[in-house]
Amino acid sequence: MMKLTGAEIVVECLKEQGVDTVFGYPGGTILNIYDALYKHSDEIHHILTSHEQGASHAADGYARATGKVGVCLATSGPGATNLVTGIATAQMDSVPMVAITANVAVDLLGRDTFQEVDIAGVVMPITKHSFIVKDVTQLADTLRRAFRIAIEGRPGPVLVDITKDVTAVETEYTPQKPAPVLPKVNTIKEADIENAVKLIERSKRPFIFVGGGVVISGASEELREFVEKVDAPVADTLMGKGAYPGEDARYTGMVGMHGTKTSNLGITKSDLLITIGARFSDRVTGNTKRFARDAKILHIDVDAAEINKNVKTEASVIGDAKAVLKILNDRLTKQDHHEWVAEIEEMKEKHPLTYDHEMLTGPFVVETLYKLTGGDAIVTTDVGQHQMWAAQFYKYKKPRTFITSGGLGTMGYGLGAAMGAKTGCPDVPVFNIAGDGCFRMNMNEVATAARYNIPVIEIVINNHVLGMVRQWQTLFYGKRYSSTIIQDKVDFVKVAEAMGAKGIRVTKKEEVEPAIKEAMAAGGPVVIDVQIDCDDKVFPMVAPGGAIAEAFNQEDLDKKEGN
């Protein structure tokens, strides 16, 4: 036992939890904590981002890449509110993150004091839990609870707001080793397992559909064994990429609005949809009344609230995906669905992903990146067309190698996430694939990457428009391009160089490979500005309100117009 200030207790609790890196931005109310961090800079590395939002995305990317809790810090008022988008991003995608903010002193709360915001109240709907600490004797236990809540069960962000006076006063502190956080298994019921086994063994056309829960639970090996046992094709969500190897013959690609025709048609024709760690998002299901209508749905998820929330299920097993799959693998006899698997294989041959090979396009850039990395890289993305191309045309071999904002769809997410991922996994190449609209939102973080020499490679798919919104305007709004054209004089190569990074411009197909090779050899942050056509589109696509079986591509549109 020892006497420490609240600020010193924060640092000691971070060390207890095994935190080696934090991302943040100092200010008046959090100065005591930063002063304590200064004294422990050899144990906890602090990365000063250009903006608090960048810190929250970096903590998120660190958490997704490593599986550990990501930590970000901000001062009160605007510092704290600048974390909100990153906190909401982490909440939607079940990312374990602890955001530590400081507030004005207890006697100044509720008085509209300078830089006072009730941040614990603001983030209540977008966190697993939020705390405000007004008593230093409660501080250590609150921080310990925050880390446990963030990682336990279905992960998510937790915010701890600490008043400035609490960071200054002393109290007794006793070090404590964190208790191990065990997988959630007490909810797995024998009757549910028996029901699941019966459904699987009676099925003739099973389809396995995996989401981010498989990645979070570390269930990839169990999933591979399960797929072999069931003898079924496998599709994934955006968040589930890498849970099952994208190079495997059974893999059919992503499901949903920009999923492959094979995945969408296969699910529609299946008689049993085995869904593991996915929440049936609207972007996955399309019209829910017409989603997998001929299939019974078996839903395996750690969160009971997800069962029957969006889609009615026949049966469910609630619990950690890894634990559930282990039990099912032990119980199941080897199934044989060779005719169904052959039918799916025919679909894959009939409906491959395609793009225009004559032009410099987003898919060509992504395929070239895959060829040069062999799939051994971490790919982060921003949100839009480039994100879908990164999901479609890069084959993810392992979990935690595709990092993207799925649920919230946060433009400006990718560069901060890439810095966090690279900090957590320094020996793995990290690429952020962005659009020019997204890059503009948080490109100030290039300066952060340059300051710390974090060798992330930013590939900007630059079409001088807000590409995904323009695609919708083209298809559904009569080509009325309201506020989506960004034809201006911003030069991303000069911007990169001005912030201390290397800049490379690409305007032809033959320049893509040399540019990526040059960036990989640079040893520091690089921005590659790839200029593509403004009307390059993401296909297949499901129209809003449509069934996923009605996915269409340019060829389908041409036929329709020809008729």
Side-chain angles (χ1 to χ4, degrees):
M1 191 180 285
M2 60 189 102
K3 271 211 159 186
L4 296 177
T5 65
E8 289 166 337
I9 287 170
V10 171
V11 174
E12 290 303 319
C13 285
L14 291 176
K15 285 160 59 180
E16 273 181 14
Q17 299 294 330
V19 174
D20 53 24
T21 305
V22 295
F23 306 87
Y25 207 99
T29 60
I30 204 169
L31 271 176
N32 291 330
I33 293 174
Y34 269 82
D35 195 47
L37 274 172
Y38 182 83
K39 298 164 189 171
H40 294 270
S41 56
D42 57 332
E43 296 167 282
I44 297 174
H45 181 43
H46 178 275
I47 291 181
L48 173 67
T49 53
S50 298
H51 188 283
E52 290 92 350
Q53 187 178 337
S56 62
H57 294 328
D60 175 307
Y62 177 94
R64 295 197 208 209
T66 64
K68 298 193 285 188
V69 178
V71 179
C72 56
L73 308 176
T75 196
S76 61
T81 58
N82 280 344
L83 296 176
V84 168
T85 298
I87 291 169
T89 302
Q91 173 74 353
M92 287 289 274
D93 291 343
S94 305
V95 179
M97 186 166 89
V98 171
I100 298 171
T101 55
N103 214 322
V104 298
V106 170
D107 61 349
L108 295 175
L109 287 172
R111 298 187 179 191
D112 291 336
T113 303
F114 177 67
Q115 291 193 331
E116 180 199 354
V117 165
D118 175 15
I119 192 64
V122 168
V123 301
M124 196 179 290
I126 56 165
T127 51
K128 279 188 81 176
H129 208 298
S130 63
F131 299 91
I132 179 164
V133 182
K134 304 176 188 177
D135 177 354
V136 72
T137 64
Q138 304 295 312
L139 179 57
D141 285 344
T142 302
L143 285 165
R144 289 163 185 153
R145 277 189 68 199
F147 275 85
R148 188 167 191 88
I149 291 168
I151 202 78
E152 200 167 37
R154 181 178 182 172
V158 178
L159 179 128
V160 181
D161 192 33
I162 310 165
T163 60
K164 185 168 184 178
D165 50 332
V166 166
T167 68
V169 296
E170 287 188 339
T171 192
E172 296 290 346
Y173 164 78
T174 305
Q176 198 176 102
K177 192 176 178 183
V181 178
L182 301 173
K184 189 175 178 181
V185 295
N186 62 323
T187 50
I188 303 171
K189 306 295 184 215
E190 177 59 27
D192 294 342
I193 293 289
E194 287 175 6
N195 202 7
V197 170
K198 278 179 194 168
L199 280 172
I200 293 166
E201 293 188 340
R202 288 173 185 168
S203 169
K204 305 292 182 199
R205 298 186 308 281
F207 207 110
I208 297 168
F209 169 46
V210 301
V214 179
V215 174
I216 292 165
S217 71
S220 292
E221 287 305 312
E222 289 76 11
L223 175 64
R224 290 187 79 159
E225 185 183 339
F226 182 71
V227 170
E228 290 299 319
K229 276 273 175 85
V230 179
D231 192 27
V234 188
D236 56 21
T237 66
L238 195 65
M239 303 313 302
K241 295 232 150 268
Y244 191 81
E247 300 162 319
D248 192 275
R250 293 183 188 274
Y251 179 68
T252 61
M254 194 166 61
V255 179
M257 180 172 281
H258 295 293
T260 64
K261 283 193 175 185
T262 302
S263 291
N264 288 351
L265 292 169
I267 282 177
T268 304
K269 292 187 76 170
S270 69
D271 67 0
L272 177 66
L273 181 60
I274 305 165
T275 303
I276 312 166
R279 58 191 172 83
F280 294 109
S281 151
D282 57 299
R283 288 295 169 104
V284 161
T285 63
N287 186 329
T288 51
K289 291 175 184 170
R290 299 167 66 195
F291 177 76
R293 278 191 302 192
D294 297 329
K296 292 176 177 177
I297 296 176
L298 167 60
H299 194 179
I300 298 165
D301 205 284
V302 76
D303 187 353
E306 290 299 337
I307 310 300
N308 294 315
K309 185 176 88 174
N310 294 329
V311 171
K312 183 84 177 106
T313 60
E314 180 75 17
S316 63
V317 184
I318 298 162
D320 176 73
K322 187 183 183 86
V324 173
L325 288 175
K326 275 183 178 174
I327 296 168
L328 290 175
N329 288 339
D330 288 342
R331 301 284 182 90
L332 282 168
T333 54
K334 176 83 169 70
Q335 306 295 295
D336 180 6
H337 301 113
H338 64 274
E339 288 182 12
W340 169 236
V341 171
E343 186 180 340
I344 293 293
E345 198 55 43
E346 282 177 28
M347 279 190 208
K348 283 167 71 174
E349 289 175 20
K350 187 179 177 183
H351 303 296
L353 288 170
T354 58
Y355 64 90
D356 187 342
H357 288 265
E358 300 303 311
M359 298 169 59
L360 172 56
T361 65
F364 175 77
V365 174
V366 174
E367 280 195 339
T368 304
L369 179 63
Y370 173 68
K371 183 181 84 172
L372 292 176
T373 60
D376 294 317
I378 292 172
V379 175
T380 69
T381 79
D382 279 278
V383 172
Q385 288 180 315
H386 61 277
Q387 176 190 32
M388 295 299 104
W389 289 324
Q392 290 175 330
F393 291 95
Y394 195 100
K395 294 181 175 69
Y396 299 93
K397 302 193 293 190
K398 292 181 289 191
R400 303 193 180 279
T401 55
F402 181 63
I403 294 173
T404 192
S405 170
L408 198 64
T410 305
M411 292 177 70
Y413 166 81
L415 181 52
M419 293 193 305
K422 185 65 182 177
T423 304
C425 304
D427 299 328
V428 183
V430 176
F431 298 83
N432 181 49
I433 300 177
D436 50 317
C438 290
F439 183 53
R440 288 161 183 269
M441 289 202 170
N442 283 330
M443 63 185 176
N444 49 5
E445 298 305 341
V446 171
T448 308
R451 184 187 311 120
Y452 294 98
N453 198 36
I454 304 170
V456 292
I457 298 169
E458 175 93 354
I459 301 176
V460 184
I461 308 295
N462 187 357
N463 53 12
H464 298 281
V465 295
L466 301 179
M468 188 61 90
V469 187
R470 181 185 176 89
Q471 178 166 330
W472 279 56
Q473 289 172 331
T474 301
L475 296 172
F476 310 119
Y477 289 85
K479 298 186 178 180
R480 293 182 295 279
Y481 300 124
S482 176
S483 301
T484 50
I485 297 167
I486 326 175
Q487 288 287 2
D488 57 23
K489 296 179 181 178
V490 176
D491 184 326
F492 291 154
V493 171
K494 285 183 179 177
V495 166
E497 290 170 349
M499 287 196 275
K502 187 178 184 65
I504 304 170
R505 183 169 288 107
V506 170
T507 58
K508 300 172 188 169
K509 279 182 75 175
E510 56 269 25
E511 294 171 348
V512 173
E513 187 168 325
I516 294 173
K517 284 180 174 174
E518 184 182 345
M520 289 171 76
V526 182
V527 175
I528 306 175
D529 177 19
V530 183
Q531 310 263 336
I532 68 164
D533 185 80
C534 65
D535 281 312
D536 207 358
K537 293 184 180 62
V538 178
F539 287 121
M541 183 176 187
V542 178
I548 60 170
E550 296 167 350
F552 61 87
N553 56 23
Q554 189 63 55
E555 191 181 335
D556 297 322
L557 287 176
D558 293 342
K559 281 180 189 172
K560 191 176 177 183
E561 288 171 11
N563 291 340

